[in-house]
Amino acid sequence: MEAYDLDLIQVLWVEDDPKVIQSYPIEAESKGLQLEQFSCWDDAKVALEDDYDRWSAIILDAKCKHHRDSADNAVKFLGAALKDIAVISKEKRRVIPWYVLTGGAESEVSDAIMEDREEWDSDWTVIKNRNFYTKSEDRMDLYDRILEHAKKSPRLQVKDMYRDSYKALYVLNKEASEIIIDIFEAMHYPSDHPDFNPVLYYNQLRQILEWNFRNANKYAIIPDVLVNNIVNLNQCCCYLSGKPTLAIKPHLRYGEDDRDRIVPPYIENILFLILNLGNTNSHTTALDEKGKEKLESFFASNVSNSRYLIFSLALQVCEVTLWLCNYIEKHQNIEENKGKCKILDDTEQEKQTEEDGYYEGRIIEVENQHGSFLNVECDLFQFSLQIKSRKGKLKKEDEVLFKVVQEPNKKDPSKQFLFAVDVHLKE
């Protein structure tokens, strides 16, 4: 992925004249613009389609190469480019303003698209109203106009509102930054996004947590065993919070005792809130069909406005990202971080899981087919446990006492399943 200056307005520029390729970007930067140059429309079109959200404006030469292997500048380049831009903007549901910067006069621009005038009547009108600029006299006026139009863009305004988070997320993963901006744009400009579906963004917020955890793993802040291949979101949250990772072997814990932790309690609460929303209880980013159904049912039955919920979670994801980025910046000694990871032996494990005999929990779901589940709210467990054995009748919202047992995953013995046993009503 190509990096670019997030503080500059991004302009896709199609130009193949070596006399101007070096000098124009320098003067444009003085106006707050970054011109990304392409020598033919083939390459520019790929960049436009693949990274559409990056661009705030498009500058086209009147006569440039349409295809990479063109022997000469193509007279039909401009008309073909305008057609493609219209099609792509319709697919992306956002129009990027385009401008023509030519070495010739208005007649050169009009000649370039005269053949397609009937099909491009609206664009013809714009050109007649001076959407074209000359290289010799109008460059600075063009830069000023781009700047003026771009600053009116809702997306650019949202990026400015959340610039610290946007930058941190972009460094983490470019897709993460665009996910958050999508959500915030719908939050600040709801009339522009009537088809915004909050449920579709829940997994994407979990994905951002995964990218944060992978980033922490680069410096051994989170151990490899928790992020190899598939990131175990739940166990990463436990480890960051100073809790034992009971669902994997070897069982790990950050630090020497319960007082040691990486994230403060409020970050821990955010992590588990996002992870366990709607009791989906998935250790991985993607939910299976049952998890999706449960989430949709949860939104439909419990949330008065799912937009507000996703908006609030997106803000909290920004807080988590900024906090972890700041922590990582101050803790980059890999060997020191590895030294903080403690392997629990059997004695310690028994103490962690059987101390005082029972834990307290609350029944969150009762299903005849799949059994009942506990919403565990004690220190060690921050997710649902399936009930393997019980005493008496239990119903939803019952406060109960229970013990915990572990059983190996038959497909992967290094991983463990946790179950609640001897579950009975709390007196």
Side-chain angles (χ1 to χ4, degrees):
M1 178 184 64
E2 181 184 359
Y4 55 88
D5 193 331
L6 298 178
D7 291 321
L8 298 177
I9 292 172
Q10 299 298 305
V11 180
L12 186 148
W13 179 37
V14 188
E15 174 63 68
D16 61 356
D17 185 351
K19 296 179 181 178
V20 303
I21 288 174
Q22 297 298 322
S23 59
Y24 285 12
I26 296 174
E27 61 187 21
E29 186 171 340
S30 68
K31 292 282 190 175
L33 310 177
Q34 181 171 339
L35 303 187
E36 188 69 27
Q37 180 264 336
F38 299 89
S39 297
C40 69
W41 180 242
D42 281 347
D43 293 338
K45 181 180 178 182
V46 171
L48 182 64
E49 290 178 316
D50 291 351
D51 205 0
Y52 195 81
D53 286 331
R54 171 181 174 180
W55 310 109
S56 295
I58 301 170
I59 297 178
L60 303 168
D61 191 10
K63 292 183 179 180
C64 197
K65 290 183 178 181
H66 185 186
H67 303 296
R68 298 184 188 93
D69 56 356
S70 298
D72 301 302
N73 288 349
V75 175
K76 294 185 177 181
F77 151 77
L78 187 58
L82 291 177
K83 287 181 181 180
D84 288 338
I85 290 171
V87 171
I88 296 170
S89 63
K90 185 176 182 180
E91 292 174 350
K92 302 292 187 179
R93 299 184 179 183
R94 180 174 73 89
V95 175
I96 299 177
W98 57 263
Y99 310 87
V100 179
L101 183 60
T102 175
E106 180 178 358
S107 60
E108 182 182 63
V109 180
S110 61
D111 289 344
I113 63 171
M114 177 63 78
E115 242 179 75
D116 303 307
R117 178 172 177 177
E118 288 185 7
E119 188 172 348
W120 291 94
D121 196 53
S122 60
D123 292 309
W124 174 260
T125 302
V126 172
I127 287 178
K128 290 178 68 176
N129 291 331
R130 286 199 45 90
N131 208 40
F132 77 95
Y133 296 79
T134 61
K135 293 177 180 176
S136 58
E137 299 178 358
D138 301 327
R139 295 194 309 277
M140 293 304 173
D141 289 340
L142 171 58
Y143 301 150
D144 287 339
R145 188 177 181 194
I146 291 175
L147 191 64
E148 178 186 357
H149 285 184
K151 287 187 175 180
K152 295 178 181 178
S153 161
R155 195 167 190 85
L156 195 62
Q157 291 184 48
V158 170
K159 288 181 180 179
D160 284 337
M161 291 179 199
Y162 301 96
R163 184 147 297 276
D164 56 348
S165 297
Y166 178 71
K167 284 185 175 182
L169 288 161
Y170 182 87
V171 173
L172 188 69
N173 186 289
K174 178 181 174 295
E175 187 178 347
S177 64
E178 299 304 335
I179 289 169
I180 289 296
I181 296 303
D182 284 345
I183 297 173
F184 289 163
E185 193 174 350
M187 179 172 70
H188 288 281
Y189 301 94
S191 61
D192 292 343
H193 301 274
D195 56 348
F196 177 75
N197 186 350
V199 177
L200 300 180
Y201 283 89
Y202 174 62
N203 269 16
Q204 297 188 21
L205 294 179
R206 292 162 67 100
Q207 179 72 67
I208 295 176
L209 290 189
E210 176 180 322
W211 287 324
N212 270 290
F213 296 160
R214 288 192 182 278
N215 189 37
N217 171 250
K218 293 177 183 178
Y219 302 94
I221 293 170
I222 292 178
D224 291 342
V225 68
L226 301 183
V227 298
N228 283 339
N229 299 319
I230 298 176
V231 174
N232 191 317
L233 298 178
N234 181 281
Q235 298 297 276
C236 285
C237 291
C238 288
Y239 185 82
L240 290 172
S241 305
K243 296 175 172 59
T245 59
L246 302 180
I248 60 102
K249 282 190 175 182
H251 307 304
L252 308 175
R253 185 183 63 207
Y254 174 82
E256 295 297 326
D257 54 45
D258 295 341
R259 293 171 294 181
D260 291 332
R261 56 165 55 235
I262 294 174
V263 300
Y266 86 95
I267 294 292
E268 173 191 347
N269 291 337
I270 292 173
L271 292 175
F272 283 114
L273 171 62
I274 296 170
L275 183 62
N276 297 334
L277 183 66
N279 304 319
T280 53
N281 187 29
S282 173
H283 289 253
T284 59
T285 300
L287 298 180
D288 57 20
E289 287 305 315
K290 182 181 178 182
K292 292 177 183 177
E293 291 175 4
K294 290 176 67 176
L295 181 64
E296 290 174 355
S297 175
F298 173 79
F299 278 162
S301 303
N302 299 280
V303 182
S304 60
N305 191 318
S306 56
R307 281 177 171 245
Y308 295 154
L309 180 58
I310 289 299
F311 295 157
S312 67
L313 292 178
L315 289 165
Q316 292 179 80
V317 165
C318 289
E319 175 66 18
V320 169
T321 300
L322 290 172
W323 193 96
L324 280 175
C325 286
N326 183 60
Y327 182 89
I328 290 170
E329 185 178 351
K330 297 177 180 178
H331 299 81
Q332 298 195 2
N333 187 319
I334 293 177
E335 293 306 315
E336 184 175 322
N337 292 334
K338 286 182 177 180
K340 295 287 187 177
C341 180
K342 182 178 180 182
I343 298 176
L344 301 178
D345 59 30
D346 292 338
T347 302
E348 290 173 304
Q349 172 57 29
E350 182 179 352
K351 180 181 178 182
Q352 291 289 339
T353 57
E354 297 295 337
E355 187 175 6
D356 297 328
Y358 290 91
Y359 297 108
E360 296 182 6
R362 177 171 54 86
I363 301 289
I364 59 169
E365 184 179 358
V366 178
E367 297 180 6
N368 293 331
Q369 182 179 1
H370 300 287
S372 300
F373 292 83
L374 284 167
N375 181 11
V376 186
E377 299 177 326
C378 58
D379 290 338
L380 290 179
F381 308 101
Q382 296 288 331
F383 49 90
S384 301
L385 296 175
Q386 185 171 346
I387 296 175
K388 201 170 184 67
S389 67
R390 71 188 80 180
K391 293 181 179 179
K393 294 183 178 181
L394 300 174
K395 62 182 184 300
K396 189 174 181 179
E397 301 300 331
D398 278 346
E399 298 291 334
V400 295
L401 297 174
F402 63 95
K403 290 185 177 181
V404 176
V405 297
Q406 301 180 69
E407 294 184 4
N409 184 331
K410 294 180 180 179
K411 295 182 179 180
D412 185 355
S414 67
K415 298 180 180 179
Q416 302 286 305
F417 290 123
L418 300 180
F419 295 97
V421 298
D422 194 19
V423 182
H424 55 277
L425 288 174
K426 178 182 176 184
E427 297 180 359

